[in-house]
Amino acid sequence: MIPGKYRSVSGRAASNVNCGLHLVIQASSLPEKNKVRFKQVEFKLNKETPSFPGRLLQHDLERNYSSRQGDHINLVSSSMPSFPILQRSSEEKILYSDRLTLERQKLTVCPIIDGEEHLRLLNFQHNFITRIQNISNLQRLIFLDLYDNQIEEISGLSTLRSLRVLLLGKNRIKKISNLENLKSLDVLDLHGNQITKIENVNHLCDLRVLNLARNLLSHVDNLNGLDSLTELNLRHNQITFVRDVDNLPCLQRLFLSFNNISTFESVCCLADATSLSDITFDGNPIAQESWYKHTVLQNMTQLRQLDTKRVTEEERRMASVVAKKEEEKKRESHKQSLLKEKKRLTINNVARKWDLQQHRITNIATNQDRKDSDSQDHCQNDGSTISAFPEETGSLDSGLTSALQGLSVTDTHLVEVDGDTLSLYGSGALECLDRNWSVQTAGMVTTVSFTFIEFDEIVQVLPKLRIKFPNSLHLKFKETNLVTLQQFNALAQLRRVDQLTVDPQGNPVVNFTLWKYYVLFRLSHFNMQKINGTEVTQNDMIMAERLFGILAHVASSELPQYHLISILGDARKKQFRYLLETKGKKPGIVNEENNDSKRLVGESTNRATLNYTTRDFYNEKLEEIKEKKKFCKIYIEDLVKEATEINMKNEALQKLWPQMFIELVRDAVMEIRNKNSYMKLCLQQITDQK
Amino acid sequence: MLSPERLALPDYEYLAQRHVLTYMEDAVCQLLENKEDISQYGIARFFTEYFNSVCQGTHILFREFSFIQATPHNRASFLRAFWRCFRTVGKNGDLLTMREYHCLLQLLCPDFPLELTQKAARIVLMDDAMDCLMSFSDFLFAFQIQFYYSEFLESVAAIYQDLLSGKNPNTVIVPTSSSGQHRQRPTSGEASMLEGVEAPLFYQCLENLCDRHKYSCPPPALVKEVLSNVQRLTFYGFLVALSKHHINQALGALPDKGDLMHDPALDEELERL
């Protein structure tokens, strides 16, 4: 048999080599990897370990081409039925005393090697060996090559204390084990096996190269103790995360190509691996990410090569710039999300308050109905409304808890200006209209949205709204307690409204059939375009006029003048005085002059009498009038008393008059009966007067 | 002028009966409230306008509920105003809920109480499903009796309850020890079997009521007519019958059902708008 010489590892095609053994082996061209590997291995060995094995190999390389036919090796079947015994001719033994090549010998078992105790290199490549056996006596062995066999378990190596290179690539090994005694191991090659876990290598403190490519590793850890490791090959596995690499003080090259790494966090220990200068990630999901290159470069400033390409200064600079930008963006979005969260919490708070208020109001109303005190019920109701919310608060709390430290959640209102929309939540928000708004901001606002605010409160600030936000054309109301059609009268105060949105939620008025028509009728001078998102058609306007036109007519023409004026107030007084002076002309009649004056005012006067005063105001007014009413009552009573007295006196006089008249006449006649005495009496009276 | 009946009443009572004082007081009150404006064009003119509007029935527009309720004439005027203003809604055929009608009422009288509207709705809906839709004419006529005769109806309700529970308000109860045992209410089973009360008995009580009380009540003849048609009737049955009967003529506020939608004068105005 011809021993297989070392393949020509210089990259040239292997040639047929003949040496001492008879077997002619066609040393076929080898897979690239192995060649490369070997080259590296040998190179390294030559460089760093100028010890015996290295020189041995180099020596053999030089002798590669000066081989000649050698002796024969006889494989003699031994007494033990399964193990063949290997014998070499003595010439061979002398020539190649320290190395033995048995590649491609179709061996299924390791033969017993007799009398070769000096062997340093043993090559069993390309056979069918299933178990490592019968080599325990070769205690000087330094180089053992079992590449491309069928070995399922690492075993039988416990006596090979001098072993430096162990090549077990392309076998069926499932577990790294039984390497305890191989403390001098320098190169361990386990590529192309079925290993799932890195273990039992922690004692290999001289190991410099570890190849675990093409295995079934899913993660990398348990690497402590490999204090000499400079190269770690983990290509073609299923690795998702990497740990412990920062515990390898000498690691320079790490190959992670074609694995399953998708985030930098899963390999974050690499940032601390200061010795690392060469790393590959190609074929991982992480390499497809847009942020891949600069994230790696930013975090691993010690790198010289990435994916077999040199890292330039330019790239490094770019990486840091991009990283900074990312940081900025993240900070910004974090701020934004905090703001949004705060807004959401505030709105929720306002909503909760609003609901409690509403429930409380209805509760009081029902309390008044019932005679017995219902304080218990009140509390229960409150409890029920509060309990409706814990899910919400729960979910809120579980959210950005840490981020929200320091944010106040007790805000009772929220004011938000978002481009062209001013949003107000909660009645406290109405105070914002008192603030000084910049002309630009205020001018841009075209939509004003009210939520969780009582409509009666909104009515009071409408004049302010008209002044401060002159361009507001669209009003939105949600949860504002719009219950009667009257309330829409209040909107007439504004300058102009193009669109009106009344959300059914919290606004019962929307349930009425006629509400839209009433709005169109009362606010006809606005020429509204849309109500609740639907366009206003000519038909709608006609219908509105048809339904409520008479109301307007009655409200203006049939009211007595004084009443009209008292309702309309100062602004209209002038106009109505004018109308009064043009006698006989009712405001309802269309007239040239009337039309002009109508247009000037901007609102058809016959609707102006339809006002809305909030309930509170109205009650206040009625209270104020009570005094006057009392006075009037008393006054009229006095008048009546007087009148009845006068009437009584009159009647009494009527009754008594005939009698009185007769007496008067009788007295007069009796006085004049005696002419003389009467004359004397008169003269007497005259002198008395003087 | 000097008719004997008028002289028979003492002055104050006479005035009160005709509600003259109410109007006087209100007029003076209005005057006080709007002194600055009214003084511009003269007090005499103000009084003229005021009493003219009382005659025409427009004085109740946009006034507070206490005033509207004060006199029968006010109530009738209000009904008429409501009809005239919202006749078009009825003509359009829309069916509205009780709340919506209440809204419309509030347009004319801002503090109109909800209970009255609810009671009117109950008449229409026979105390059933209060969220139902009602037609304008149904609601209007029911509202008419409810509003105009509200006190009367309350008393009738009380009488009805008494009759239902077996007590006859007409009988005089002598407080002896034995009568306490006689006053047994019929079992609820009995009452439910026979719905309502017996018409003649009911009529007797009502007649007494009308005689005894001074606030307005429907003309007894009408009540008799309504009650003579049936043997037994429920409270709401009675009211519905009353509302549909020719009570309009008695009140004089609203036209009959057939003419409800017609109002030529206002239709003309409408055309002009």
Side-chain angles (χ1 to χ4, degrees), chain A residues 60-122:
Chain A
D60 280 339
L61 259 179
E62 285 164 347
R63 293 229 304 215
N64 219 0
Y65 305 100
S66 54
S67 56
R68 54 179 177 84
Q69 289 276 355
D71 319 14
H72 300 273
I73 282 188
N74 292 326
L75 275 176
V76 178
S77 54
S78 67
S79 52
M80 290 160 67
S82 48
F83 294 122
I85 300 180
L86 187 78
Q87 280 171 0
R88 284 201 296 181
S89 67
S90 44
E91 264 189 35
E92 268 290 321
K93 271 197 204 171
I94 297 168
L95 261 179
Y96 309 110
S97 62
D98 54 1
R99 58 198 199 329
L100 176 58
T101 310
L102 289 170
E103 63 173 277
R104 294 176 208 275
Q105 295 297 313
K106 300 203 178 109
L107 298 169
T108 52
V109 292
C110 290
I112 299 176
I113 300 171
D114 237 358
E116 302 270 8
E117 272 71 27
H118 295 291
L119 216 54
R120 294 193 202 270
L121 186 149
L122 183 53

Side-chain angles (χ1 to χ4, degrees), chain A residues 31-55:
Chain A
E32 199 47 51
K33 274 206 203 100
N34 284 337
K35 267 201 205 160
V36 169
R37 240 187 39 247
F38 259 99
K39 175 182 184 176
Q40 279 183 333
V41 164
E42 282 169 2
F43 188 57
K44 282 295 171 314
L45 287 171
N46 287 338
K47 259 198 168 167
E48 280 123 51
T49 53
S51 59
F52 177 57
R55 269 187 294 183

Side-chain angles (χ1 to χ4, degrees), chain A residues 513-514 547 553 563 573, chain B residues 37 41 61 84 88 100 269:
Chain A
T513 331
L514 303 175
L547 283 173
H553 172 81
H563 201 184
K573 268 186 201 163
Chain B
D37 306 315
Y41 63 89
L61 288 173
R84 289 176 80 222
T88 41
E100 203 158 358
E269 285 296 331

Side-chain angles (χ1 to χ4, degrees), chain A residues 24 44 60 80 134 171 178 224 236 238 245 264 271 345 375 385-386 421 442 446-447 450 465 488 494 525 555 639:
Chain A
V24 177
K44 282 295 171 314
D60 280 339
M80 290 160 67
N134 301 320
N171 277 284
N178 296 325
N224 46 304
H236 290 279
Q238 296 158 9
V245 174
F264 195 78
L345 282 170
S375 54
T385 52
I386 290 171
T421 307
T446 57
T447 305
F450 301 92
L465 187 71
F488 287 116
L494 295 170
H525 58 289
L639 282 180

Side-chain angles (χ1 to χ4, degrees), chain A residues 160-171:
Chain A
L160 306 176
R161 291 174 210 279
S162 314
L163 200 66
R164 308 288 290 265
V165 178
L166 177 58
L167 309 176
L168 284 167
K170 209 162 170 199
N171 277 284

Side-chain angles (χ1 to χ4, degrees), chain B:
Chain B
M1 275 280 280
L2 292 170
S3 54
E5 305 108 49
R6 288 177 66 199
L7 290 174
L9 276 175
D11 320 310
Y12 203 74
E13 272 186 34
Y14 166 72
L15 288 174
Q17 197 187 52
R18 294 297 189 267
H19 304 284
V20 173
L21 293 181
T22 320
Y23 293 112
M24 286 298 306
E25 282 167 26
D26 189 61
V28 175
C29 205
Q30 294 281 306
L31 184 61
L32 276 181
E33 269 188 72
N34 304 302
K35 328 191 249 225
E36 309 88 26
D37 306 315
I38 294 174
S39 55
Q40 297 279 342
Y41 63 89
I43 295 183
R45 190 161 166 189
F46 161 72
F47 274 108
T48 323
E49 277 188 10
Y50 180 85
F51 283 105
N52 267 336
S53 81
V54 170
C55 283
Q56 283 170 0
T58 57
H59 60 301
I60 37 80
L61 288 173
F62 310 123
R63 294 296 306 270
E64 62 277 11
F65 178 68
S66 49
F67 179 65
I68 295 178
Q69 206 193 23
T71 70
H73 171 65
N74 282 5
R75 295 187 195 187
S77 313
F78 184 74
L79 287 169
R80 191 173 171 77
F82 181 71
W83 163 65
R84 289 176 80 222
C85 286
F86 297 113
R87 173 185 58 97
T88 41
V89 171
K91 205 165 171 186
N92 203 35
D94 287 310
L95 297 177
L96 309 178
T97 60
M98 180 268 295
R99 284 206 175 266
E100 203 158 358
Y101 280 119
H102 185 65
C103 253
L104 295 181
L105 283 166
Q106 278 189 319
L107 283 175
L108 290 177
C109 168
D111 58 347
F112 202 86
L114 186 61
E115 299 92 54
L116 269 181
T117 328
Q118 274 175 336
K119 284 185 192 164
R122 263 194 223 122
I123 299 177
V124 176
L125 302 168
M126 301 289 268
D127 207 16
D128 191 32
M130 290 299 288
D131 279 335
C132 255
L133 302 170
M134 301 179 275
S135 78
F136 183 69
S137 55
D138 285 343
F139 177 74
L140 186 61
F141 287 124
F143 181 66
Q144 181 185 228
I145 352 171
Q146 177 60 53
F147 185 45
Y148 196 79
Y149 294 126
S150 16
E151 296 88 354
F152 174 71
L153 288 189
E154 272 178 41
S155 306
V156 171
I159 292 177
Y160 182 76
Q161 285 302 317
D162 285 345
L163 284 181
L164 257 189
S165 60
K167 279 192 287 184
N168 191 336
N170 279 345
T171 62
V172 174
I173 297 173
V174 178
T176 61
S177 53
S178 54
S179 67
Q181 292 158 358
H182 283 308
R183 237 199 256 187
Q184 282 168 2
R185 297 182 177 221
T187 58
S188 55
E190 257 187 61
S192 58
M193 274 195 324
L194 310 160
E195 228 187 63
V197 296
E198 285 190 23
L201 185 58
F202 196 46
Y203 176 62
Q204 264 183 4
C205 305
L206 290 187
E207 210 176 357
N208 289 340
L209 184 69
C210 293
D211 289 337
R212 259 184 285 154
H213 295 277
K214 48 182 180 212
Y215 47 69
S216 55
C217 55
L222 253 175
V223 175
K224 185 164 188 183
E225 250 191 84
V226 167
L227 290 173
S228 60
N229 290 337
V230 290
Q231 191 57 29
R232 303 188 70 87
L233 76 175
T234 62
F235 180 58
Y236 287 108
F238 167 62
L239 292 179
V240 168
L242 198 59
S243 73
K244 294 202 174 148
H245 211 75
H246 300 300
I247 201 164
N248 290 327
Q249 287 152 4
L251 281 179
L254 302 173
D256 287 331
K257 188 151 185 180
D259 298 328
L260 197 59
M261 300 306 171
H262 295 313
D263 186 351
L266 282 185
D267 274 339
E268 267 180 52
E269 285 296 331
L270 198 53
E271 295 305 313
R272 259 185 250 163
L273 290 171

Side-chain angles (χ1 to χ4, degrees), chain A residues 140-288:
Chain A
R140 298 270 196 103
L141 208 59
I142 292 176
F143 189 108
L144 176 58
D145 187 347
L146 285 159
Y147 172 77
D148 192 16
N149 278 284
Q150 292 171 5
I151 297 166
E152 287 173 13
E153 194 196 343
I154 305 174
S155 58
L157 303 172
S158 45
T159 53
L160 306 176
R161 291 174 210 279
S162 314
L163 200 66
R164 308 288 290 265
V165 178
L166 177 58
L167 309 176
L168 284 167
K170 209 162 170 199
N171 277 284
R172 296 177 193 175
I173 298 167
K174 294 192 172 52
K175 192 173 148 144
I176 308 174
S177 57
N178 296 325
L179 300 172
E180 285 83 42
N181 293 336
L182 307 178
K183 289 205 171 58
S184 320
L185 210 56
D186 194 56
V187 173
L188 177 57
D189 182 1
L190 288 164
H191 82 275
N193 279 291
Q194 295 162 11
I195 296 167
T196 54
K197 202 171 150 189
I198 301 175
E199 55 188 341
N200 299 323
V201 297
N202 307 88
H203 58 284
L204 303 172
C205 40
D206 285 340
L207 193 69
R208 284 178 314 111
V209 176
L210 176 56
N211 187 347
L212 286 164
R214 290 190 192 269
N215 275 287
L216 300 175
L217 294 170
S218 57
H219 57 273
V220 177
D221 57 7
N222 210 0
L223 291 173
N224 46 304
L226 298 170
D227 296 331
S228 311
L229 198 68
T230 40
E231 178 176 321
L232 180 54
N233 186 347
L234 295 166
R235 289 195 180 95
H236 290 279
N237 276 287
Q238 296 158 9
I239 295 168
T240 48
F241 67 85
V242 174
R243 278 210 282 262
D244 280 353
V245 174
D246 43 344
N247 291 329
L248 302 171
C250 297
L251 190 68
Q252 287 172 18
R253 289 179 296 281
L254 176 59
F255 305 118
L256 286 166
S257 314
F258 298 101
N259 276 292
N260 214 3
I261 296 167
S262 46
T263 64
F264 195 78
E265 280 70 50
S266 46
V267 299
C268 58
C269 66
L270 297 178
D272 297 324
T274 44
S275 52
L276 210 53
S277 64
D278 195 344
I279 198 166
T280 63
F281 279 116
D282 53 297
N284 281 288
I286 196 179
Q288 305 300 320

